[in-house]
Amino acid sequence: MPVITYRQALNDALAEELERDGNVFLMGEEVAEYNGAYKITEGLWKRFGDKRVIDTPISEAGFIGLGVGAAMMGLRPVMELMFWSFAYVAYDQIINNAGCVRYMSGGLINCPLVIRGPANGGTNVGATHSHTPENFLANTPGLKVVCPATPADAKGLMKAAIRDNDPVCVMENTLLYGDQGEVPEGDYVIPIGVADVKREGTDVSLIAHGRAVLTCLAAAHRLHEEFNISAEVVDLRSIRPLDEQTVLDSVRKTHRAVLVDENKPFCGVSSQIATMIQEHAFDDLDAPVQRVCSLDAPAIYSPALETQQLPTADRIIQKVLAIS
Amino acid sequence: MSVTRAEKPKKTGKNPVDYAKAPINADLTPEQKLGFLADMLRIRRFEQASLKLYQQGKMGGFLHLYIGQESVAVGTLALMGENDHAITAYRDHGHALVVGMSMNECMAELLGKATGCSKGKGGSMHFFAPDKNFWGGHGIVAGQTPLGLGIAFALKYKGLKGCCLTYLGDGAVNQGVFHESLNIAALWDVPVVYIIENNQYSMGTSLARSSAIKSCLAERATGYDMDWDIVNGENLYEVRAKTWDAMQRAHEKCRPAILEIDTYRYYGHSVADANAKKYRKPEEIEFYKQNHDPITLWENRLKEEGIADEAVIKKLDDAAKKEAAASVQFAEDSPFPELESVFDDIYYEVDMGTESGKTGRHFFND
């Protein structure tokens, strides 16, 4: 199986879908002639031309709204936000229009739109560029949210998102773009709403999404090596729809859960997972559900501190040891 | 086509140019002209009937009445061809009826009934009929302006010769997303025609208190190298002629435009507008009703042309009243939606029972 970067996996997914369906087009700031601020769309403008790969002015509300309107008409826009943090100036378009138009029209309209871009802290760019709005977006019935952690998931989920007939928010991570991993060849599509057990274990379930999955895998390795604790790592992959069954199956097996989330703790994704576990698997628990989130402050600039603000393997290990 | 601010015509009820002779109007048949009257009457009678229901407490939320502005929807939307589309804001009843939505489905929607155009899920502000190229019905001021841009973008992308008539109120011109949309429309040659229905008040705030440029809103188009014009909304011929010019330019050259159509609403911003009589004087409203009512003016015009007399007009009006009354009956007799339907119409994939709709949990109620 070829080993490629997360960035290349996304690029391949976009290229394959552009090739497959003439209704697919890419649009965003610097996606065409500049080859993408993070080079996710590198080479695509040259290959597919002005009609299919389109640079926009810096007008997130305007061009995201344009994408919603075009999707209502049956096109399949793939809109890049240079950072998901910039979605905040386009929220009306995303929440009210993409998220609610199907409902308000009584099902007469659907919106096959993809909005994609990085949503992560950890790059020392301060609070305005470090938001992780998956919890806000998943709070809107009508939107779907996926957060791939590996190159294979990035490709499979991106292709599924483009083919989906509902609006899908794809949250990538600039810290992962250079990561390498095996990606199946051919038309590799991962259904949205299916979690993945990234490491099997018996003593505790570490449940995460996005880059936090990799932090969990590092913690699980050390838990095994240093403490002889067998940790299972569940990668949610999709926030909404949510693969509740895989999470509950894991908790019923290990009887302990530590939820790891680069979101802030208040009403973060892990809050939803925690309430779901206590509602459906309370009797299976041998210990209270624990959470490791970003420290509850705006993203700090200082590189020395931001590393500590995001969930670390050390903090995960401490939480696991506290309930083991 | 652009005019300077100084040339903006005064609201005199008379126009120096006879727009009846414009090509788009010259060949109108008497039946078509009577049809415009019938549509304006239908809007007015529908809304008067809805107001009664609102006052009886049978309706929730807001009711933004279009009464006084009927000539705008009728004059513009009747020009739509196969590949022309329309989208508007929350004052959407008139547009809905003109594109061909039935009074029944609209009245039932107002009462939140299962037979409503959105199955009771949208309400007054959110009427849709994509099969009639009508894309709503949008509640957030100016939120629809980039959607109209996107609809027009899609037409061009598909190689279709059409445009999207995108309506907004005078209050919406100060929202940022409208200006983003104007810039993109002009930059990329997107065939969108923005129609500002200037009824002079954004809720209770007059133009003088909301716009830096006080005399003309469409002039903002000059900041985006876009064509613009102002239109006397009480003159149906003028509305049609100038809108058709803009649509032709969109069709032939993919050029966008802004039309500012002067009009007036008789009721408050919404019926719940408690200050409706404080920010303007009752005498002002009465003046417009007496001198600028678009229906009366069109009736007079048809009389002058020998197309209609009082009997013909009464017949059309009676039919509109009857249709409105029947829609009230239909709406009142219709059932409310079942509780189970709350979770329908959220995700296409779930509604259709596709594979994608079956993986993972979509709703989180327990």
Side-chain angles (χ1 to χ4, degrees):
Chain A
M1 205 183 298
V3 174
I4 60 173
T5 62
Y6 189 107
R7 173 183 288 111
Q8 187 62 49
L10 289 170
N11 185 276
D12 287 352
L14 297 172
E16 288 170 23
E17 295 306 297
L18 282 164
E19 187 69 48
R20 188 184 61 80
D21 183 349
N23 284 330
V24 175
F25 66 87
L26 312 186
M27 184 179 280
E29 294 154 5
E30 311 291 1
V31 299
E33 297 190 33
Y34 193 89
N35 277 315
Y38 286 98
K39 305 300 174 211
I40 302 305
T41 54
E42 186 153 28
L44 298 180
W45 173 64
K46 195 173 177 190
R47 178 171 165 194
F48 292 98
D50 289 331
K51 182 179 179 186
R52 310 290 302 285
V53 184
I54 304 158
D55 281 326
T56 66
I58 300 174
S59 304
E60 285 87 1
F63 73 74
I64 294 291
L66 183 158
V68 176
M72 286 159 49
M73 289 282 284
L75 299 184
R76 293 185 172 274
V78 180
M79 315 299 288
E80 176 172 308
L81 289 167
M82 196 182 292
F83 294 85
W84 261 103
S85 293
F86 300 169
Y88 293 21
V89 297
Y91 251 43
D92 178 47
Q93 297 306 318
I94 300 172
I95 306 290
N96 278 319
N97 290 342
C100 297
V101 72
R102 178 164 183 80
Y103 202 64
M104 293 195 304
S105 66
L108 294 173
I109 296 171
N110 68 299
C111 187
L113 174 75
V114 172
I115 308 174
R116 53 154 292 270
N120 57 283
T123 57
N124 323 128
V125 288
T128 56
H129 287 55
S130 303
H131 291 290
T132 53
E134 59 265 34
N135 54 332
F136 299 157
L137 295 161
N139 187 254
T140 299
L143 296 179
K144 297 179 178 179
V145 182
V146 298
C147 300
T150 66
D153 290 348
K155 181 169 184 186
L157 288 171
M158 181 61 73
K159 287 174 73 91
I162 294 171
R163 295 180 191 188
D164 203 276
N165 288 297
D166 294 306
V168 184
C169 303
V170 182
M171 306 224 161
E172 304 157 10
N173 189 314
T174 55
L175 293 174
L176 301 181
Y177 282 151
D179 281 10
Q180 295 199 324
E182 289 189 333
V183 177
E185 288 182 284
D187 193 27
Y188 182 62
V189 180
I190 296 173
I192 295 172
V194 179
D196 185 39
V197 176
K198 288 283 195 285
R199 175 185 174 120
E200 296 207 1
T202 54
D203 299 333
V204 61
S205 299
L206 306 180
I207 299 160
H209 64 277
R211 179 168 166 271
V213 172
L214 306 185
T215 314
C216 287
L217 287 169
H221 178 72
R222 284 178 50 196
L223 284 165
H224 175 69
E225 295 291 316
E226 298 170 26
F227 302 98
N228 199 30
I229 291 173
S230 169
E232 179 151 295
V233 177
V234 178
D235 178 1
L236 298 173
R237 295 203 293 200
S238 168
I239 308 302
R240 187 176 190 141
L242 182 67
D243 184 353
E244 199 173 75
Q245 197 58 47
T246 297
V247 173
L248 295 175
D249 287 349
S250 179
V251 172
R252 286 176 181 137
K253 180 170 77 171
T254 65
H255 308 296
R256 288 178 174 79
V258 174
L259 317 182
V260 185
D261 193 345
E262 292 194 353
N263 251 190
K264 300 299 187 302
F266 191 91
C267 293
V269 170
S270 55
S271 310
Q272 177 64 30
I273 306 299
T275 201
M276 182 185 87
I277 292 171
Q278 75 86 21
E279 281 175 348
H280 297 288
F282 184 78
D283 291 338
D284 295 289
L285 288 171
D286 286 345
V289 173
Q290 301 291 317
R291 291 200 296 154
V292 178
C293 301
S294 283
L295 300 180
D296 198 12
I300 193 167
Y301 159 69
S302 174
L305 283 185
E306 197 187 11
T307 309
Q308 300 302 311
Q309 185 171 23
L310 292 167
T312 61
D314 282 343
R315 280 208 279 146
I316 297 169
I317 290 167
Q318 285 166 18
K319 287 287 185 188
V320 170
L321 295 178
I323 58 167
S324 295
Chain B
M1 119 182 218
S2 295
V3 295
T4 65
R5 248 189 283 173
E7 290 172 311
K8 186 174 183 180
K10 297 282 183 289
K11 254 186 177 296
T12 60
K14 292 176 186 170
N15 278 277
V17 179
D18 188 359
Y19 291 98
K21 292 176 182 162
I24 192 65
N25 293 326
D27 296 332
L28 284 170
T29 64
E31 289 71 26
Q32 287 173 308
K33 293 179 183 182
L34 286 169
F36 301 148
L37 177 60
D39 272 347
M40 289 196 284
L41 288 166
R42 288 176 69 242
I43 295 170
R44 188 160 297 188
R45 297 309 183 191
F46 172 87
E47 289 209 318
Q48 287 170 338
S50 74
L51 177 59
K52 271 189 196 167
L53 292 177
Y54 191 91
Q55 289 165 337
Q56 290 166 10
K58 293 180 177 173
M59 205 180 298
F62 302 129
L63 182 69
H64 303 93
L65 296 178
Y66 195 66
I67 291 176
Q69 303 183 205
E70 295 91 340
S71 54
V72 181
V74 171
T76 53
L77 291 164
L79 297 167
M80 280 170 61
E82 185 186 357
N83 292 317
D84 295 313
H85 293 249
I87 186 167
T88 188
Y90 44 82
R91 201 178 303 282
D92 61 352
H93 309 155
H95 307 76
L97 293 177
V98 177
V99 299
M101 293 177 72
S102 74
M103 281 197 197
N104 281 1
E105 61 182 325
C106 292
M107 195 66 83
E109 186 64 28
L110 294 180
L111 294 197
K113 297 299 183 76
T115 53
C117 48
S118 295
K119 305 178 189 170
K121 290 174 172 169
S124 164
M125 299 187 283
H126 308 117
F127 289 1
F128 295 85
D131 63 322
K132 298 175 175 67
N133 295 0
F134 180 58
W135 298 94
H138 293 267
I140 303 296
V141 172
Q144 79 283 7
T145 57
L147 299 187
L149 175 71
I151 290 163
F153 175 90
L155 290 168
K156 187 177 176 186
Y157 189 96
K158 294 177 179 183
L160 299 170
K161 186 186 278 194
C163 69
C164 186
L165 302 177
T166 303
Y167 297 81
L168 60 153
D170 45 287
V173 302
N174 301 313
Q175 287 274 44
V177 73
F178 175 52
H179 291 263
E180 294 184 24
S181 302
L182 295 179
N183 182 58
I184 294 173
L187 182 69
W188 294 349
D189 290 327
V190 180
V192 57
V193 177
Y194 286 105
I195 296 176
I196 302 169
E197 298 194 55
N198 183 356
N199 64 24
Q200 305 182 43
Y201 294 93
S202 50
M203 198 165 166
T205 303
S206 66
L207 264 176
R209 295 197 296 125
S210 63
S211 177
I213 298 177
K214 302 190 190 315
S215 58
C216 179
L217 302 175
E219 189 181 4
R220 292 170 187 224
T222 57
Y224 302 98
D225 190 26
M226 190 185 294
D227 289 305
W228 60 283
D229 206 344
I230 50 175
V231 185
N232 180 357
E234 69 195 26
N235 184 328
L236 201 61
Y237 284 133
E238 180 175 340
V239 172
R240 283 175 52 84
K242 289 186 171 178
T243 306
W244 184 243
D245 280 349
M247 291 175 72
Q248 288 294 97
R249 200 176 316 102
H251 288 170
E252 301 302 329
K253 298 178 184 169
C254 279
R255 285 302 294 172
I258 301 180
L259 299 177
E260 176 185 349
I261 304 186
D262 284 342
T263 184
Y264 195 81
R265 63 168 153 80
Y266 296 167
Y267 289 89
H269 162 70
S270 80
V271 176
D273 182 355
N275 290 317
K277 290 184 177 146
K278 290 188 179 170
Y279 57 76
R280 55 182 179 175
K281 293 175 180 166
E283 296 80 34
E284 176 184 304
I285 301 171
E286 196 53 36
F287 176 81
Y288 273 89
K289 285 183 180 174
Q290 292 302 323
N291 299 286
H292 299 288
D293 183 73
I295 296 180
T296 305
L297 292 173
W298 187 244
E299 287 172 351
N300 292 343
R301 179 80 196 210
L302 295 186
K303 286 178 192 168
E304 286 169 21
E305 293 184 19
I307 290 172
D309 55 20
E310 285 298 337
V312 169
I313 292 167
K314 185 174 185 309
K315 195 175 166 191
L316 291 177
D317 195 30
D318 286 346
K321 284 180 187 168
K322 195 174 166 189
E323 187 184 358
S327 75
V328 170
Q329 194 65 48
F330 172 82
E332 299 216 74
D333 291 346
S334 291
F336 285 106
E338 299 289 337
L339 185 59
E340 293 74 42
S341 74
V342 166
F343 303 111
D344 296 337
D345 309 314
I346 299 172
Y347 293 104
Y348 174 96
E349 304 286 359
V350 174
D351 293 337
M352 298 299 162
T354 64
E355 283 304 310
S356 172
K358 291 174 186 164
T359 48
R361 185 166 182 181
H362 288 74
F363 308 111
F364 299 86
N365 302 290
D366 51 40

